[in-house]
Amino acid sequence: MSSMGSQPAKAGLRVGVIGAGVMGSNHARVLAGLPGVSLVGVVDPSPAHRARATELADCNSFETLDQLLAEGVDAVTIAAPTHLHHEVALACIAKNIHVLVEKPIASTVKEGRDIVAAAQKAGVTLMVGHVERFNPAVAAVKQAIAGEDILSIAITRVGPFPPRMSNVGVVIDLAVHDIDLIRWFTESDIVEVQPQLSSAVAEREDIALLQFRTANGVLAHINTNWLTPFKARSVTVATRGKYVMGDLLTRQVTECFGFKPDGSYSMRHLPVGHDEPLRAELIAFLKAVRNGETPAVTGDEGVASLEIATQCLETPSRPAATSPARKGPRRVAG
């Protein structure tokens, strides 16, 4: 270590990790192995969490954010519980520190907008950790549909009840990933939401069937739950010219194309990279910090996905018989 100490200029970016749960510990592990990065340490009030992170990343740990900030950091990744994102991000931005905040950006859209405004005013880089965009299978699907006329998207993200339970249901925990992917695939905003939610076993919703229409007319559907005994993650995209299927776990992406009038078509497997998504994401964040560029997932995009997720939770499902057939002025019941 001492040889590094004698050349502080080469130590690279000083980065800290806030939150040493499952995600934060992984952030620390990846950052510890990146060139041009000096991992200053992780912050977590829990001694058990701190022990796990320091074991994974062999770095210092701190009980409070102030202790980390006193060490001096250029950038932080925030993997603390969602309800702390707002307070922690604002404290870091106030010290002109660049911030990557895990998804969802905050507990509420208003808090998310606060973070975005503060980062803009301070001129620091703010990126939101929608790591699924960096899944090589997702990148392969995105590449396959580039320039195509997209018709529909269906995403399945299901699995067993997670042991690490935060105070959110499947929409904020899982579907927010897919809302972001729909916006990214279509390069359009979601303008209509039709959610069906159920709390079958858990306190919060543990089944969600979400339907969307984007501004450019794509229909999208998300099926997510915590009731499936095994994990499944898949994306299918239908365009005028092809049908693309991606398994995000096995990372196999297949495309059907060349549809003939007799019903025949061709099929091929697409090449998919092997990067660890989190590593690719953190490299992208640090590159944006170093070059002062717009990050891969901006604060505004993080807020937009949270806003749609929130809308899904707030939209009441109306009984079919009473829902008006046409969108007209609502009659107020006397």
Side-chain angles (χ1 to χ4, degrees), residues 242-327:
K242 51 174 81 162
Y243 185 77
V244 182
M245 299 171 280
D247 182 318
L248 307 189
L249 295 179
T250 62
R251 299 195 180 168
Q252 196 161 59
V253 179
T254 314
E255 108 182 332
C256 308
F257 60 101
F259 306 111
K260 302 274 188 338
D262 65 1
S264 66
Y265 57 88
S266 308
M267 225 170 152
R268 65 176 164 224
H269 289 306
L270 299 179
V272 176
H274 291 291
D275 302 358
E276 178 186 0
L278 181 61
R279 187 168 188 271
E281 174 180 72
L282 290 169
I283 288 171
F285 168 59
L286 297 169
K287 182 170 170 279
V289 166
R290 288 192 178 99
N291 305 340
E293 334 168 312
T294 303
V297 186
T298 64
D300 284 328
E301 289 181 285
V303 170
S305 295
L306 175 61
E307 194 162 10
I308 295 298
T310 305
Q311 237 176 297
C312 289
L313 293 175
E314 289 170 355
T315 305
S317 37
R318 291 195 305 253
T322 60
S323 61
R326 282 191 311 279
K327 284 204 172 116

Side-chain angles (χ1 to χ4, degrees), residues 185-230:
F185 285 155
T186 60
E187 292 174 13
S188 179
D189 284 317
I190 291 169
V191 292
E192 267 180 63
V193 310
Q194 293 174 316
Q196 294 292 347
L197 310 174
S198 172
S199 308
V201 181
E203 219 174 303
R204 305 280 174 123
E205 82 285 352
D206 49 16
I207 308 174
L209 298 175
L210 311 175
Q211 294 193 110
F212 306 103
R213 184 187 291 272
T214 65
N216 56 3
V218 176
L219 296 186
H221 163 259
I222 296 173
N223 166 23
T224 189
N225 69 53
W226 281 326
L227 306 177
T228 311
F230 53 86

